[in-house]
Amino acid sequence: MHITQLNRECLLHLFSFLDKNSRKSLAKTCHKLLEVFQDPLLWPLLNFHSPAELKKDNFLLGPALKYLSICWYSERVKVCNIEDWMKNNFQKDFCNRHENTVNDFLLEVCNRCPNLLSLTLSGCGHVTDDCILLLLKNCPNLKTLKLENCVRITDQTLEAVTLYGGSLRTLHMDFCRNITQTGLERVREKCPSVMLRAERSANMIPDNKPEKKLMLEKASRKLVQL
């Protein structure tokens, strides 16, 4: 019996055991398997391990997507986490290549995946509050939001959670250096049903623009003189 003689349900089940690249390769063999690859039901779960993977054509975004993970564990993440005004030209050039990649991808998720239940982002140094806000608005069934080492996330995201995260039950904000204890306490107050975890986030040193740093240095010098 040839694989193409199987019905759609069996083919979807077989495809589900394959990774994204294998699914794409198999889809190139015949029209019937291409149709299986393009079936939204095949894609309830997507895991990515670098921004570069988001630009490939070996997956499909659709209303069946419920679990999405973008986790970048690389030494290169440290470059993205450097404050913009402290980056040298080489570091700026590196970041410019993928600065909008994750944000643009998440905007596509907002438009195509209204049934998303879980989102995990780790090492995504260019993800912004505005992007998370849109996602909370457009994915009202989101139950789990895990953000780790996302340095541009601030209390604005926490405020968005209190306004639009009505379905959220789990919120992790680990190693996000620009959120504050005040923001976390507001989430605990406004969303008591949410299981909140923020490992080290509010205790990390937040970004300070050069003028703010200068003011702090001047204030410190005055205190020393007194």
Side-chain angles (χ1 to χ4, degrees):
M1 185 178 185
H2 194 271
I3 186 174
T4 56
Q5 294 177 282
L6 297 173
N7 60 33
R8 176 62 67 88
E9 184 178 358
C10 289
L11 289 173
L12 284 170
H13 184 66
L14 289 175
F15 265 72
S16 69
F17 290 98
L18 304 176
D19 60 29
K20 296 189 291 292
N21 286 332
S22 298
R23 292 177 183 182
K24 181 65 176 180
S25 296
L26 191 56
K28 292 178 179 179
T29 60
C30 72
H31 183 71
K32 184 172 183 178
L33 296 183
L34 176 61
E35 290 180 345
V36 176
F37 176 84
Q38 294 174 338
D39 192 328
L41 294 177
L42 180 63
W43 305 98
L45 168 69
L46 283 172
N47 294 314
F48 300 95
H49 303 290
S50 76
E53 293 184 12
L54 303 178
K55 296 182 177 182
K56 295 183 178 180
D57 62 349
N58 59 356
F59 62 90
L60 183 72
L61 287 179
L65 181 63
K66 294 184 177 181
Y67 304 94
L68 173 62
S69 172
I70 306 173
C71 296
W72 194 20
Y73 301 115
S74 167
E75 287 295 315
R76 297 179 180 180
V77 173
K78 295 180 180 179
V79 177
C80 300
N81 288 352
I82 298 173
E83 297 174 37
D84 289 340
W85 51 86
M86 295 179 64
K87 293 175 182 174
N88 58 39
N89 290 333
F90 173 79
Q91 292 166 334
K92 289 179 180 179
D93 180 62
F94 171 78
C95 289
N96 287 338
R97 298 175 195 172
H98 63 268
E99 183 171 5
N100 297 317
T101 301
V102 177
N103 283 324
D104 290 345
F105 180 82
L106 290 177
L107 290 179
E108 288 295 317
V109 172
C110 289
N111 294 328
R112 301 185 189 183
C113 312
N115 300 311
L116 190 68
L117 298 178
S118 176
L119 173 66
T120 299
L121 301 176
S122 180
C124 298
H126 298 292
V127 170
T128 64
D129 293 313
D130 290 341
C131 190
I132 300 300
L133 169 63
L134 285 175
L135 193 136
L136 287 168
K137 284 184 174 181
N138 287 278
C139 302
N141 299 318
L142 192 70
K143 296 184 181 299
T144 300
L145 177 61
K146 297 181 179 180
L147 304 178
E148 178 186 63
N149 199 16
C150 296
V151 297
R152 295 196 180 187
I153 296 300
T154 71
D155 284 0
Q156 291 183 40
T157 287
L158 297 178
E159 183 65 22
V161 166
T162 66
L163 296 174
Y164 306 106
S167 297
L168 271 183
R169 293 297 175 265
T170 300
L171 176 64
H172 291 180
M173 304 286 289
D174 299 333
F175 300 94
C176 297
R177 68 179 181 234
N178 286 305
I179 66 172
T180 67
Q181 194 63 45
T182 301
L184 294 172
E185 289 173 358
R186 180 169 174 78
V187 171
R188 292 190 177 99
E189 176 187 351
K190 296 292 185 179
C191 309
S193 61
V194 174
M195 185 177 71
L196 175 62
R197 189 184 82 181
E199 186 176 347
R200 297 194 182 184
S201 291
N203 297 322
M204 299 177 74
I205 300 175
D207 293 348
N208 286 310
K209 292 183 179 180
E211 59 268 22
K212 291 184 178 179
K213 291 182 178 180
L214 184 60
M215 291 174 64
L216 289 173
E217 289 173 0
K218 288 181 178 179
S220 299
R221 286 197 294 267
K222 287 183 180 180
L223 287 175
V224 171
Q225 292 173 357
L226 294 174

